[in-house]
Amino acid sequence: MINYIWFGMICAGVVCACVTGRLGELSAAVMGGAQGAVELSLSLLGSMCAWLGFLRIAEEGGLTALLARGFSPFIDRLFPEYRGDREIQGKICMNLSANFLGLGNAATPLGIAAMRAMQERSPHKDTPTKGMVLFVVFNTASIQLLPVNMAAMREACGSAQPFGILPEIWLTSLGALVVAVLFCKMMERRAPPPRPGPYNGTA
Amino acid sequence: MEQASAAALPVILCVILLFGFFRGVDVFDAFLAGAKEGLRTTLGILPTLIGLMLAVAVVRDSGLLDILCGLARPLAEAVGVQPELLPLAVLRPISGSGSSAYTLSLLEEFGPDSGAGRMASVLAASTETTFYAITVYFGSCGIKKLSYSVPAGLLGDAAALAFTVLTVQLFS
């Protein structure tokens, strides 16, 4: 799947650049994109190390297990595969809390830690479990208590009420998440638990 | 509200540290062990990031993205959405920095408290960079099959567009 997306993006881009005569921009884009990724990783490196460090302290102290137990009615239902697995549940909770509190720098490292823990338990090397797909889908949505970045942008543009759109944002993000999660649950029911291959036709 | 948000990080750090310390965790050793993992993880996702951002840059700078947005325009006019909003909906799942810049330009052009400005704010704040999350999360643990994650993520983004139009019209 990712094979086709990546291939398609680059091929369509090259064809388009030929037609529109933007070949110069295209060559700059290839190298610029690669360089941008390195710059992003460098800026991510600090927060990645710091947050995985704090995560380890929270895990060894038993804080994440406590968090997992608190949220287990919710987490058990969404991720039934990991019922009772306090390590994975703890990592999922840490990521979702970071997202909720708007700590974007923390959410990615914590989310990757959760994905890796789920992958360790999975018998399949290249196919995600249902829980992994649902977890990624949670992270493609944006559930945030206080969207401070957006408020700052609005304030910079002279808004009289930077936070005036809070109810709209809450309803919209929650609605979008519910739609995506329902879709996942429907697909989970349709497809048997992951075997290498069965999703090829649908994805 | 900004203060509440600024206080979140220090409070969380204090709770984690105090809890670990009084439970007898060797906090600095634990931190170092985790941080070392962070180093490996960052290096591990770098190739994925390079591949993704290179492809996004190609789509953007080749003019393909403009064409896609142009195609979406009549659709926007048909359902009564400000046509300028649709490029944002197309851009948002693909490029985080690109959509931030575009949102800012919309806020400046229409004013942040106008209908279009409010819709742009709501849409941008209610969604995430879907493709980035999918590639980085799956890439970090070597998953190659994406299962139904892409349709699920994009369906969420489409739903966000619909809810944005609905809620902004409802509350204004």
Side-chain angles (χ1 to χ4, degrees), chain A residues 141-155:
Chain A
S142 166
I143 297 295
Q144 231 185 95
L145 188 61
L146 290 177
V148 273
N149 290 338
M150 178 49 68
M153 260 163 90
R154 288 170 57 78
E155 195 161 29

Side-chain angles (χ1 to χ4, degrees), chain A residues 1-2 6 9-10 12-13 16-17 20 22 25-26 29-30 33-34 36-38 40-41 44-45 48-54 56-58 60-63 66 95 101 103 107-108 111-112 115-116 119 125-128 130 132-133 135-137 139-142 146-148 150 153-155 157-161 163 165-166 168-169 171-173 175-176 179-180 183-184 187-188 197 199-200 203, chain B residues 1-2 4-5 8-9 12-13 15-17 19-20 23 25 27 30-31 33-35 37-39 41-42 45-46 49-59 61-64 66-67 100 103-104 107-108 112-113 117-118 120-122 124-128 130-138 140-153 155-157 159-160 163-164 167-168 171:
Chain A
M1 170 82 182
I2 192 149
W6 196 71
M9 282 172 87
I10 294 187
C16 184
T20 53
R22 298 174 76 160
E25 283 92 332
L26 186 77
V30 173
V38 175
L40 180 65
S41 308
L44 207 64
L45 183 59
M48 188 76 92
C49 292
W51 277 106
L52 290 186
F54 286 119
R56 186 64 71 94
I57 297 177
E60 288 189 14
L63 190 65
L66 204 70
N95 163 269
L101 295 171
L103 304 171
T108 307
I112 289 175
M115 284 296 279
R116 292 192 145 188
Q119 174 67 355
K125 271 218 160 65
D126 60 354
T127 312
K130 294 187 276 190
M132 289 166 92
V133 175
F135 180 70
V136 168
V137 166
N139 277 279
T140 67
S142 166
L146 290 177
V148 273
M150 178 49 68
M153 260 163 90
R154 288 170 57 78
E155 195 161 29
C157 293
S159 169
Q161 306 159 290
F163 278 103
I165 41 154
L166 219 47
E168 287 96 322
I169 292 180
L171 281 175
T172 300
S173 53
V179 168
F183 177 80
C184 284
M187 295 302 289
E188 283 177 15
Y199 300 126
N200 280 347
Chain B
M1 291 223 214
E2 280 93 350
S5 181
L9 181 71
I12 292 164
L13 286 190
V15 171
I16 291 178
L17 265 183
F19 202 88
R23 280 284 187 99
V25 174
V27 283
F31 180 84
E37 187 136 331
L39 200 58
T41 307
T42 311
I45 62 169
L46 181 58
L49 267 185
I50 291 181
L52 171 73
M53 292 181 63
L54 184 154
V56 167
V58 165
V59 169
D61 294 351
S62 65
L64 183 62
D66 296 334
I67 295 178
S100 289
T103 308
L104 204 57
L107 293 184
E108 274 166 2
D113 297 319
R118 289 160 67 90
S121 313
V122 173
S126 304
T127 45
E128 259 298 326
T130 301
F131 278 105
Y132 174 82
I134 290 176
T135 357
V136 169
Y137 277 32
F138 282 143
S140 71
C141 52
I143 297 279
K144 296 205 181 62
K145 300 209 167 87
L146 304 182
S147 200
Y148 44 87
S149 56
V150 173
L155 183 70
D157 293 332
F163 282 121
T164 298
T167 52
V168 171
F171 285 110

